[in-house]
Amino acid sequence: LTQSWQSIPHVSHFEEAEIAKIEKQRKELNEISAIKITPLAYIIKATSLAIEQFPLMNSSLIDDGKLMLKKYINIGVAVNTDQGLVVPVIKDVYNLKIGQIAEKILEISIKARDKKLMKDDITGSTFTISSLGGIGGTGFSPIINPPEVGIIGVSRAKNVVKIENGNFIETTILPFSLSYDHRVINGVDAGNFMKFIKDILEKGL
């Protein structure tokens, strides 16, 4: 990561999404699901759908300035353990449903904390998500995980009150950010990518 920070021109884009709809759906699913579904599962799914629309986010910059576009979407999820940060990978995310993603998150988290991750569990990522939602903070700029060109950082959701049609309404806001490699991704692409994720999270899946 030190080499990544020193060699990659990082740019960060910050966004917020109103997630009241998916929070309602998530709580309803948790009443009937054997696996606890967290907001991270929705973020992972929304990110995979955005990557499908913006394939540059799923690329790698290789020798001689050439780009390698991946036809598969594997998302690494940063997990904190007693031995430090590890990034196990959820494979083929685009084809998974929310419940399946939640199950994968639980599986890789347990394996990471029990030090049972195998090589296949930590290789093949094409994009990474780092979530500090359980810790807090209003935003952060994660370091890109080479050879990827982008990483999303998720902070803790917060309850706020907004005015709608003259009425005070309580809702939930999720802050999240994107660090991207400016050699590959420009500001317009990054902004559109994040808006796409925001729209998905606000409309619901």
Side-chain angles (χ1 to χ4, degrees), residues 1-185:
L1 291 179
T2 300
Q3 184 179 1
S4 169
W5 182 252
Q6 292 174 344
S7 61
I8 296 175
H10 284 61
V11 180
S12 294
H13 181 107
F14 294 86
E15 188 57 89
E16 289 184 335
E18 185 178 336
I19 59 169
K21 287 185 179 179
I22 65 169
E23 277 295 276
K24 181 176 182 295
Q25 183 187 71
R26 185 178 70 83
K27 290 173 183 176
E28 290 172 351
L29 287 174
N30 276 332
E31 292 179 359
I32 59 174
S33 174
I35 301 293
K36 182 181 178 181
I37 299 172
T38 65
L40 181 58
Y42 284 87
I43 296 161
I44 290 172
K45 183 61 180 181
T47 300
S48 75
L49 296 173
I51 287 172
E52 180 74 10
Q53 294 296 315
F54 299 90
L56 270 182
M57 289 292 179
N58 208 44
S59 67
S60 292
L61 191 61
I62 56 178
D63 294 339
D64 301 322
K66 295 179 181 177
L67 274 180
M68 178 187 294
L69 294 176
K70 319 289 178 56
K71 293 185 178 180
Y72 49 91
I73 299 174
N74 298 339
I75 294 185
V77 181
V79 176
N80 188 38
T81 72
D82 293 339
Q83 302 301 309
L85 196 68
V86 294
V87 187
V89 182
I90 300 177
K91 307 287 179 66
D92 199 26
V93 173
Y94 187 79
N95 294 317
L96 298 179
K97 296 180 179 178
I98 291 295
Q100 293 171 312
I101 294 173
E103 188 173 354
K104 293 288 185 183
I105 293 171
L106 179 61
E107 178 186 325
I108 62 174
S109 297
I110 291 173
K111 290 177 74 173
R113 286 164 188 148
D114 290 345
K115 305 174 187 175
K116 293 182 179 179
L117 289 170
M118 306 299 288
K119 183 178 180 180
D120 186 59
D121 294 321
I122 57 174
T123 56
S125 174
T126 61
F127 193 91
T128 298
I129 294 175
S130 179
S131 175
L132 294 180
I135 299 174
T138 58
F140 67 105
S141 298
I143 299 175
I144 296 166
N145 185 24
E148 299 164 22
V149 298
I151 178 172
I152 281 179
V154 184
S155 297
R156 178 181 288 175
K158 55 188 176 182
N159 292 327
V160 300
V161 175
K162 68 174 185 176
I163 299 176
E164 187 174 287
N165 298 324
N167 298 314
F168 291 98
I169 299 174
E170 186 175 1
T171 189
T172 305
I173 298 295
L174 178 73
F176 61 109
S177 63
L178 168 72
S179 294
Y180 59 94
D181 186 337
H182 206 14
R183 297 172 300 177
V184 179
I185 309 297

